[in-house]
Structures are given as C-alpha cells and as structure tokens.
Amino acid sequence: MEKLEVLRKVFGYDTFREGQEQIVDAILHGQDVLGIMPTGAGKSICYQLPALMLEGITIVVSPLISLMIDQVKALNEAGIHAAYINSALTETQITKALYNAMCGRYKIVYVAPERLETDRFLEFVMNVDIAMITVDEAHCISQWGQDFRPSYLKIVNLIKRFPKRPIVSAFTATATQTVKDDILCILGLNNPKVLVTGFDRQNLYFEVRKTKHKDEEILEYLAKHEGESGIIYCATRKNVDNVYLMLKKNGIAATRYHAGLDNEMRKNNQEDFIYDRALVIVATNAFGMGIDKSNVRFVLHYNMPQCIENYYQEAGRAGRDGEPAECILFYSAQDVMINEFLIGNKGQNTEFTQEELEVIKENDIRRLNKMRFYCATKECLREYMLNYFGEYTYRHDCGNCGNCTGEFEEKNVTDICVDIIECIRESGQRYGMNVIIGILRGSNTAKLKSYGVSRYKSFGKRSKMSEAMLKSVMEELLLKEYLTETADIYRIIKLDKTSQDIIDGSTELVCKWSEKKEEVRETQAKVKKSGAAAELTPKQFAVFGELKKLRLTIAREENMPPYIIFSDKTLVDMCIKLPFTKTEMLAVNGVGENKYERYGERFIQCIVDCTDAVR
Ligand code: ADP
Ligand code: ZN
C-alpha cells in the first residue's frame, strides 16, 4: 500500500496535517528525524504510519505507562497489532509479549525506558529485525528540559549496540533551543530531518484572570459550561482535594487525580473522566500525559504552573479535536510563593549532586519568572508563548486571547517608570519588588522601618498610587527588560543598561490599563460553547445527540473510552454528511476500513432511524 492509502484505510484520514507528510517521507527514505510539534498536532501518525510500511519492527520508547496503554489500545482498535512492555505487566506476560513479537506478530512495540537494558529485552532486539527506534517525549533526555529522566540516557546505549543502526526518530511537544540541541546531540541523530511545526493552536482561547475569589469564578465558569468536559489543574494535592470537595458540595460531578491517591483509585477516577462518567477532573500535573481525550473543552488552572512548558502542555490537552476550546489561568500572587516552595523542595532525594541541584534550581526560577510574566503581560498571550518557544509571529493580535479581545485603556506611564528606576538606584539595587513598592508608597510597616528606607527621596513619592498599578508598571519594565531580576527566590531588582534610556527621556513606555469588560467575555464564551457541535443546525444537533448515545453504548459494551471509538469531530462530520452507504461512511473524517467493519453499520442504522430517511 502506498502511504496515502494507509492513512485512509488504516487511520481513516483523508489528508496529512501540517508536517506529517514530510516526516513520514523522511523516515521512509531511511532518514533520522526530530519532530517538534505541539500537543495534539498528530505526532503519533508520524511514526506509526511509516512503522507499518517499513520492513521490520518499530520500538517506541515512551515514558508513561498510561500513554502506552492508550496508544496500543487505539492501534489495536485500528487493526494494527501492537504491544507494550512495562511494569504494568507481570514477568510472565512480558515473556509472552516478547515471544509474540519475536514471531513477528507485532509491528510496533512500546517500551518503558527502564526496560531497555534488561537482558530479556536486549535478547529480543538483537534477534529480530528492528526498522526504527522512536523516542517519544524526547525532551526527557535533556537536563535542561522541565522533565529530565535519567533512564532516557539508556536509549543511547541501546542504539549503539545494533550492528546495523535502525532509523531513529524523536518527537516532543516542547523544546526550547537548548533542549533541541541536547536531543540532537545526545541521541546522536544522523543528518536528521528536523521539523518544527507551528506551535500555534488556533482553536485554543487563552486568558489570565487575576482574582482572589477563585472558587466563585470556577463555579461560575462551570455553570456556564455545563455538559462540557474539562480539566482543572492545581499546584498541590491539598489544593486538588479542596477544589474537588468544593465542586462536590456544589453538586458538580467531578473526580480527582493526584499522586497521593492509591493506584486503584487513580485508575478509576481517570477512567471516569475518559469515559465521560465524570465531566470534570481536578488534578495535579501528575495527570494528563498520555491522555488524548479529544473532547476536552476547557483546561482551567487554579494555580499558575511552574513554567510555560508545563502550561502549554497542560493547556494543550484542550481541544485536541481541533474545535474551539478555552484555557484559562486563574492567577493570584500567592501562586508564585507556592511554586517557589515547590522548586525549593525539589529533588531532595535524587541522584543529583548539590551542584547540579543548584543549577537545576536556577533554571527553574528563571522559567518560573517567564511564567509570571505571562500572567502579567497585557500583550497577546499566544504570541508571548510562541516567542518563548522561539517562534516569532510579528502579528501582535491573535483575536483569540483575553488580551487581544479585552478592552484596555492605554496610558503613558513614563513618569512612573522614572520614579521606580530612581528608587531602585537610590536604595542600592538590593530589594525585591514589594520593598520598592513599599518605599514609593511610603508604607509604614515594621519591616520597611527596619531597613531604614524613609531617608530616601523616593520615600512616599507615589503615596496615592495603588499597589496594583505600581506592580503592573514594574512588571512591564521587567517584561520589556528595562529592569532585570536575580534568578533566585529573592528576585532582587537590578537596573539594566537600558534603564537610563527612560530617565533620559529617549524612551517612552505605554502601559495597557483597566479591567476587561465583563459582557465581552460572556458573549464570547457563549459562541464558543459547544465545541465541535457549535456549527450544527438544530436538526443536525439532534442527530449528534443520538450518535453520542450510540457511541456511549458501544463504549460500555467494549469497555473502551468513547473517543477511541469515534471522536466528536467524526460524529459531527457524520451529522453533516449523513452517510447511508459504506462508501459514504468511509468518506467521513476519521472512519477507516477497520472502524467501519466494527461500527459502521450500527452508526448508519442510527442515522437512518433518526433522520426518517429524508436528507
Ligand atoms: P500528539 O501526540 O501530537 O499530541 P496525537 O498523535 O495524539 O497528537 O493526535 C491528536 C489527534 O489528532 C488524534 O485524535 C488523532 O487521531 C488526530 N489526527 C492525527 N493526524 C490526523 C490527520 N492527518 N487528520 C485528522 N486527524 C488527525
Ligand atoms: Zn492574542
């Protein structure tokens, strides 16, 4: 079969998405690849499809068990024989799986990195024809990444052992330049095709809400989005438990997930969410890797995450089906402290040396600061994140984030900036933001008194200005790099070379100011409300409801998550095309031969029934 035929027949898609075809072609020509694509862009097809066409077996190294199980389930569902080797299996099961693989029964074998150097696995790979080694979540190999896993280094040894080197393909959703260089270098990719596809997820709406009343805001949000599936991320287990109980008390069918719950419970809760028995899940960042539930309509953050990498990955779990979805971060200043605390306690009993820990911590703080600025910026949120990942759009207005759609007043704040800079200079560049603000406002706290700051000329110079306003201007100065901060928890504010430009009057600073208008937000939320189904006419929407019921019935019969049977997007396409025949059904986005064989007729029957045979 030729590649497009495989795409159509096996996976049920008519066309490749951006980047997929180039990667597939490179692999089929025997070239190594590094694919950097955002979550939901469709990385799996990039290696699964060539794996089917190459002679020999493809080994996929993947960090998380849940991820593997899900992928293997989906592959088997599409009629592709695949297996996984990880600690979820007993030794006997592993023996059996490897035996089957040795007999050529699987085209794709997923394996956990810890397993790579076991004798049994080595014996297996040396005795069969390995066409390709695929490294999923490849950023785990880099110490500079946000998720370093030493066991990933075992991959390098494995690759070296082969008499005939297989193709090596690596994939990740988050990679800054340093991490990218690390992946290329450590894995030793050989003249690779490197493809970075747009990180932009246009269907996602981003917003930051600064609030002290998170619970109320979350409840209000959920009330407006009833019937939709979503994730609420919290920074700590305790927060998860509190938010979860708060939702329960308010009659919301929520579940929760964090590392403090026992395995059984975690598994059940996760399944409740995936199978749509609980629409909302409250979770720490332990949740989500490998969950490719496609109909997640919102991802809310109850706390600010530790870095943009994490945020973009977690938020990216919304709208995998390509339909509109919302990512809203509820921010309060306390979130910064929680994260500093978490960073401070990180890796206390790991294999790192003290020195290494210091470096890691410094990097963590630097990343945290970038995250803070995301919450502070008044410019386009999407652009901010894309810039962070090295992608420059120069568009400045995406039309689909809180800052681009919100209403702001522009205000020239140069004179305030001058006072701030003078204050920092005068007090010797040795204080953090709160002290500087305290001096400018002439606060009479015991702490400030003990510093003896009332002798400065700046003391009380902005006594009428609100703390929030001063903070906002200072954040703007930091963002635009007229000021810098030390990369430790004290975050002492220092002047930069460019600070003088403001004092000299050669640069003016304009700040966006004022609150967003409430009604604007509301109407937007309404338009976006039902995701994939939003464009359906009322009649089509009724069919959609029936198809969803059928999908749920089948899901229960087969003990499969509904979205693995068919995604919302596929059901919506059915409602639009109303297929009555096999050919028509195969023309629906997401219906391949195998899925047709298994479910096609039941769905056609359902469509016939509920449309009374009129089209
Ligand atoms: P990633 O691993 O990059 O996060 P996945 O490989 O899980 O993303 O794919 C995300 C979703 O996109 C899945 O539901 C998948 O079936 C779908 N998808 C992938 N490729 C295509 C394509 N060419 N056409 C339509 N849908 C696709
Ligand atoms: Zn924007």
Side-chain angles (χ1 to χ4, degrees):
M1 273 200 284
E2 179 256 338
K3 69 186 178 204
L4 271 173
E5 209 179 336
V6 179
L7 184 69
R8 213 169 295 136
K9 287 226 166 103
V10 179
F11 297 97
Y13 302 127
D14 285 335
T15 49
F16 282 107
R17 285 199 188 150
E18 191 199 343
Q20 286 179 333
E21 188 166 16
Q22 287 148 284
I23 291 183
V24 168
D25 284 345
I27 294 177
L28 291 177
H29 281 108
Q31 196 180 358
D32 284 357
V33 304
L34 169 57
I36 302 181
M37 304 162 97
T39 308
K43 284 183 284 296
S44 324
I45 300 263
C46 294
Y47 58 86
Q48 289 171 350
L49 193 149
L52 299 184
M53 299 178 68
L54 292 170
E55 203 138 316
I57 297 173
T58 290
I59 305 284
V60 183
V61 183
S62 175
L64 273 180
I65 293 179
S66 61
L67 188 110
M68 283 186 223
I69 298 180
D70 231 40
Q71 292 268 0
V72 168
K73 226 186 227 174
L75 283 171
N76 285 321
E77 192 67 1
I80 303 161
H81 299 289
Y84 54 82
I85 310 285
N86 59 36
S87 58
L89 302 181
T90 61
E91 287 302 313
T92 328
Q93 286 172 317
I94 292 182
T95 311
K96 200 165 149 213
L98 287 176
Y99 174 77
N100 283 338
M102 207 107 76
C103 301
R105 226 161 285 167
Y106 305 124
K107 277 305 274 184
I108 304 181
V109 177
Y110 282 78
V111 61
E114 308 78 65
R115 291 272 146 192
L116 292 173
E117 283 182 345
T118 58
D119 292 341
R120 191 112 42 87
F121 188 76
L122 286 174
E123 191 199 329
F124 157 68
V125 290
M126 292 306 144
N127 283 297
V128 291
D129 185 12
I130 303 290
M132 172 161 71
I133 295 192
T134 294
V135 185
D136 203 7
E137 312 289 349
H139 60 276
C140 292
I141 208 164
S142 168
Q143 199 179 329
W144 306 107
Q146 75 283 15
D147 198 12
F148 175 50
R149 284 165 201 255
S151 60
Y152 255 59
L153 297 170
K154 294 190 169 122
I155 303 170
V156 183
N157 302 339
L158 178 73
I159 296 173
K160 282 194 191 130
R161 279 174 186 256
F162 288 99
K164 181 175 160 279
R165 187 177 174 281
I167 301 166
V168 181
S169 56
F171 296 89
T172 173
T174 69
T176 50
Q177 190 62 41
T178 348
V179 173
K180 185 170 137 189
D181 292 343
D182 249 13
I183 296 173
L184 290 169
C185 171
I186 299 175
L187 276 180
L189 294 186
N190 184 6
N191 179 30
K193 163 113 198 141
V194 180
L195 198 119
V196 185
T197 63
F199 260 67
D200 193 2
R201 299 269 314 274
Q202 291 177 9
N203 60 319
L204 300 186
Y205 167 80
F206 292 98
E207 185 182 326
V208 176
R209 291 195 198 166
K210 290 193 180 128
T211 173
K212 289 201 173 95
H213 310 283
K214 294 186 179 183
D215 289 359
E216 289 83 348
E217 292 236 8
I218 297 254
L219 283 174
E220 194 186 318
Y221 185 92
L222 295 181
K224 277 194 199 127
H225 294 259
E226 212 185 316
E228 295 178 17
S229 179
I231 307 172
I232 303 176
Y233 278 108
C234 301
T236 63
R237 297 174 192 182
K238 199 165 143 236
N239 268 338
V240 169
D241 291 339
N242 290 344
V243 173
Y244 166 76
L245 289 175
M246 188 269 294
L247 295 183
K248 279 278 171 198
K249 220 161 59 197
N250 284 278
I252 291 163
T255 185
R256 66 182 153 163
Y257 189 102
H258 61 62
L261 304 173
D262 65 52
N263 274 340
E264 183 71 15
M265 188 154 178
R266 270 206 315 255
K267 187 162 157 261
N268 287 341
N269 292 358
Q270 174 170 321
E271 284 188 351
D272 282 347
F273 177 66
I274 288 173
Y275 291 76
D276 281 339
R277 291 189 290 258
L279 281 174
V280 177
I281 191 161
V282 188
T284 58
N285 63 4
F287 175 78
M289 265 245 217
I291 306 291
D292 61 3
K293 190 173 195 293
S294 62
N295 66 337
V296 175
R297 293 270 67 83
F298 57 84
V299 171
L300 309 183
H301 277 76
Y302 190 83
N303 303 107
M304 177 185 77
Q306 241 170 62
C307 58
I308 303 275
E309 283 93 338
N310 287 1
Y311 183 61
Y312 208 63
Q313 187 153 51
E314 286 158 20
R317 299 202 169 104
R320 286 251 201 168
D321 49 12
E323 299 302 320
E326 300 195 328
C327 310
I328 301 177
L329 197 165
F330 293 84
Y331 172 84
S332 71
Q334 220 199 354
D335 292 338
V336 181
M337 292 186 309
I338 297 175
N339 279 306
E340 280 169 352
F341 176 79
L342 292 173
I343 290 172
N345 281 313
K346 205 162 140 182
Q348 267 168 354
N349 38 19
T350 62
E351 70 262 52
F352 298 115
T353 63
Q354 199 53 38
E355 211 167 286
E356 281 171 328
L357 272 177
E358 284 306 313
V359 176
I360 291 178
K361 216 169 270 181
E362 217 171 89
N363 280 320
D364 283 346
I365 294 279
R366 211 165 281 140
R367 275 196 290 263
L368 176 63
N369 285 341
K370 294 282 187 192
M371 187 72 233
R372 261 175 58 222
F373 293 156
Y374 172 81
C375 299
T377 183
K378 307 283 190 325
E379 310 292 331
C380 177
L381 294 173
R382 185 182 310 277
E383 190 176 43
Y384 181 91
M385 289 193 282
L386 292 177
N387 286 353
Y388 182 82
F389 293 119
E391 197 177 313
Y392 295 90
T393 60
Y394 306 108
R395 201 175 42 199
H396 309 312
D397 182 359
C398 73
N400 195 24
C401 80
N403 287 356
C404 290
T405 59
E407 300 209 337
F408 294 96
E409 200 183 301
E410 300 212 328
K411 200 167 181 168
N412 189 319
V413 291
T414 314
D415 55 332
I416 307 172
C417 294
V418 170
D419 288 349
I420 291 172
I421 291 169
E422 291 292 4
C423 177
I424 295 168
R425 195 199 311 272
E426 184 182 30
S427 56
Q429 304 189 50
R430 59 190 143 119
Y431 297 119
M433 187 179 293
N434 290 333
V435 174
I436 301 292
I437 292 175
I439 298 176
L440 284 164
R441 299 184 71 228
S443 305
N444 258 322
T445 63
K447 185 170 148 196
L448 283 185
K449 270 194 194 136
S450 74
Y451 292 159
V453 296
S454 57
R455 64 196 149 100
Y456 296 128
K457 275 207 288 292
S458 312
F459 189 78
K461 192 146 190 210
R462 290 281 171 180
S463 58
K464 299 231 164 58
M465 191 163 279
S466 74
E467 203 178 315
M469 177 82 187
L470 281 169
K471 196 163 179 181
S472 175
V473 176
M474 261 174 108
E475 275 168 344
E476 197 70 21
L477 283 167
L478 285 163
L479 250 163
K480 301 241 162 85
E481 298 180 349
Y482 290 108
L483 295 176
T484 59
E485 278 181 315
T486 55
D488 52 36
I489 57 165
Y490 305 109
R491 294 204 309 267
I492 291 165
I493 307 224
K494 304 268 181 193
L495 299 179
D496 193 85
K497 296 190 288 296
T498 52
S499 307
Q500 192 59 32
D501 297 350
I502 293 195
I503 305 271
D504 295 345
S506 56
T507 305
E508 302 252 291
L509 204 80
V510 175
C511 212
K512 287 183 175 176
W513 190 245
S514 124
E515 294 304 302
K516 288 158 220 169
K517 288 228 169 72
E518 201 58 30
E519 317 88 88
V520 177
R521 213 166 67 196
E522 256 175 51
T523 44
Q524 268 165 359
K526 262 190 206 120
V527 178
K528 291 197 193 94
K529 196 170 169 180
S530 331
E535 291 143 37
L536 296 178
T537 64
K539 258 197 193 140
Q540 289 169 333
F541 193 72
V543 180
F544 182 62
E546 293 303 313
L547 294 182
K548 262 169 82 171
K549 268 190 227 157
L550 174 60
R551 179 177 66 178
L552 197 60
T553 312
I554 297 177
R556 299 223 159 114
E557 282 168 17
E558 307 217 349
N559 199 22
M560 281 278 168
Y563 65 85
I564 286 202
I565 314 258
F566 283 128
S567 68
D568 276 8
K569 198 171 175 170
T570 299
L571 294 191
V572 166
D573 204 34
M574 280 187 204
C575 299
I576 292 167
K577 296 193 174 131
L578 297 179
F580 279 18
T581 65
K582 178 172 175 181
T583 322
E584 286 173 352
M585 191 54 127
L586 285 172
V588 169
N589 191 309
V591 183
E593 294 271 354
N594 198 56
K595 291 247 173 120
Y596 179 82
E597 288 308 320
R598 303 186 65 153
Y599 315 119
E601 285 179 1
R602 286 176 78 177
F603 278 88
I604 289 180
Q605 191 56 49
C606 178
I607 291 168
V608 171
D609 289 347
C610 62
T611 53
D612 297 319
V614 264
R615 274 197 273 185

